[in-house]
Amino acid sequence: MPGRDPGEPHRSATSLELLFDLCFVIAVAQASGSLSTAVTGGHYITGSLRFALVFFTIWWAWMNFTWFASAYDPDDVLYRLMVLVQITGSLVLAAGVPRAFEEGDLRVITLGYAVLRTALAALWLRAARSDPGRRRTALRFATGVTGCQIGWAGMLFLPVPAQLPAIIVLIAAEVSVPMWAQSAGMTPWHPHHIAERYELFTLIVLGESVAAAVAAVHSAFDRHHNAGALYMLAAGGLLLVFAMWWLYFARPAHRLLATTHQAHRKRFTWAYGHYLIFGSAAAEGAGLAAYAQVITRRTDVPSPTAGAAVTMPVAIFLITVWAVHVRPHQQSVVEQLAFPAVAVAVLVAAVSPAPALVAGLLAAALVVVVTVVDRPGRVRH
């Protein structure tokens, strides 16, 4: 398992990586659906915290494999089998999501996470054996992944009041492992490949938002409640997803990763910042589904609160995309200011009679600004 060439031409996602992503869709869908149920049940804070934790495990497992595969992917039998083991772990993790939300029971999620991480640690050990020049880095990864996994298993035996502080410590340890490991030497990741992998996962979470919204609106229409409000919700939800897609893909991430973001600090900021991008996109579907329940009066959640479940994920998405995608490209002052301004306006839209539609129109207006500002550059290109 020698390191791949970071300048390899025509490097793209493999069919095995696409299968890996496809199976992670199930976990994302479970997390989004459980968040919607928590919101409609009035458990806003608890549901949000559990969603943040569950989605962290999903995102972190996906991201770690993605960066590993960009550096080491021999596509032989042993490698394929180890990736299939990780896919199995993702399905076990997905099966544990409802229990984590309803009862706070993390045992099944931890089991699935353990399968994922143990297989990845084994791959790092194989890389250490096959790539002497980066052996120290690979061994640090294997040690860090294994140590954190032992910590997660031990956390289950702590009393409930001590579990939350332990989770915070373990998350801090998890995100520190790549920085510690790569301080011993950079793995040969491929900028175009990483950019494509992140773009594909963005499409996955946006697609999940569409699926959740369509299912909720369809169910609401079957009950024949307030068709006008449902039409506005459906139109606003589509506008939001279309705008989120447009704004994310307006900037070529591979240019940053191939140039300025080779530096550790910028690269990690870009990679870790996607937790908020992916998580907010997945949460948007949950918010739209929850607001459909408000329209049909199947929940007693106040409209402004349900409206915030729609608008807050969009605002987080816009701010994070601005921070990791727009600002590093040194764009115009108008564009730099437009993102934060629209994000604030979207938050305020939570108290409007049609928060999804108002937020969708605001996001669409931002798309217009970005498109007009970018037009001279596209013409030159």
Side-chain angles (χ1 to χ4, degrees):
M1 188 187 282
R4 297 282 293 257
D5 178 8
E8 179 183 341
H10 311 298
R11 181 76 190 276
S12 60
T14 66
S15 59
L16 184 58
E17 288 175 319
L18 296 178
L19 177 62
F20 186 85
D21 290 358
L22 182 63
C23 292
F24 265 78
V25 172
I26 300 172
V28 172
Q30 291 280 10
S32 178
S34 297
L35 176 61
S36 177
T37 302
V39 170
T40 55
H43 307 296
Y44 321 120
I45 297 177
T46 303
S48 298
L49 289 175
R50 287 177 176 173
F51 175 81
L53 173 60
V54 168
F55 199 85
F56 173 82
T57 62
I58 297 169
W59 163 75
W60 191 246
W62 175 88
M63 190 183 78
N64 276 251
F65 167 74
T66 294
W67 285 84
F68 176 89
S70 189
Y72 301 97
D73 180 6
D75 195 33
D76 58 11
V77 172
L78 181 57
Y79 176 81
R80 289 185 175 190
L81 291 175
M82 295 305 290
V83 175
L84 294 178
V85 169
Q86 292 185 71
I87 290 175
T88 303
S90 75
L91 297 177
V92 175
L93 189 155
V97 170
R99 295 179 66 178
F101 271 86
E102 295 167 10
E103 308 166 20
D105 185 352
L106 300 177
R107 287 176 296 179
V108 177
I109 279 186
T110 303
L111 174 61
Y113 192 65
V115 174
L116 278 158
R117 304 296 278 164
T118 301
L120 182 64
L123 286 174
W124 277 117
L125 289 174
R126 185 182 175 195
R129 183 173 180 270
S130 306
D131 190 359
R134 302 182 183 89
R135 179 167 296 159
R136 190 179 174 196
T137 300
L139 288 175
R140 283 191 178 189
F141 267 113
T143 301
V145 168
T146 303
C148 288
Q149 189 50 56
I150 293 172
W152 286 110
M155 181 269 299
L156 296 177
F157 296 96
L158 294 176
V160 175
Q163 286 187 355
L164 180 57
I167 287 171
I168 294 172
V169 171
L170 286 167
I171 289 176
E174 288 274 20
V175 299
S176 298
V177 168
M179 293 184 281
W180 170 61
Q182 298 226 36
S183 66
M186 187 188 301
T187 54
W189 55 276
H190 195 288
H192 283 264
H193 178 251
I194 288 293
E196 182 189 18
R197 298 291 291 120
Y198 273 68
E199 289 166 356
L200 289 171
F201 204 74
T202 301
L203 293 175
I204 284 175
V205 291
L206 288 177
E208 174 53 37
S209 288
V210 173
V214 168
V217 172
H218 179 268
S219 177
F221 269 122
D222 287 344
R223 292 188 291 274
H224 306 291
H225 282 285
N226 201 345
L230 288 172
Y231 281 124
M232 288 190 288
L233 176 66
L238 279 178
L239 271 177
L240 284 171
V241 172
F242 292 165
M244 291 162 75
W245 166 82
W246 194 302
L247 294 168
Y248 181 85
F249 286 91
R251 294 288 171 269
H254 67 269
R255 291 185 189 173
L256 296 176
L257 294 173
T259 54
T260 58
H261 284 49
Q262 289 286 317
H264 285 319
R265 181 178 61 82
K266 291 186 176 181
R267 183 171 77 252
F268 282 118
T269 300
W270 184 88
Y272 288 6
H274 274 74
Y275 167 69
L276 294 177
I277 292 177
F278 295 155
S280 59
E284 180 57 25
L288 292 169
Y291 201 83
Q293 299 296 317
V294 171
I295 292 174
T296 56
R297 299 195 177 102
R298 296 192 68 193
T299 177
D300 296 328
V301 174
S303 293
T305 302
V310 173
T311 61
M312 189 173 292
V314 180
I316 294 172
F317 181 90
L318 294 177
I319 287 293
T320 313
V321 167
W322 169 70
V324 304
H325 264 333
V326 177
R327 292 188 66 195
H329 278 278
Q330 304 290 321
Q331 295 302 312
S332 69
V333 175
V334 173
E335 193 173 14
Q336 295 283 12
L337 295 176
F339 273 82
V342 171
V344 172
V346 165
L347 279 176
V348 176
V351 298
S352 69
L357 183 59
V358 174
L361 291 171
L362 288 168
L366 180 58
V367 169
V368 173
V369 171
V370 170
T371 304
V372 170
V373 170
D374 285 354
R375 188 173 183 276
R378 290 200 309 276
V379 170
R380 286 195 301 271
H381 178 71

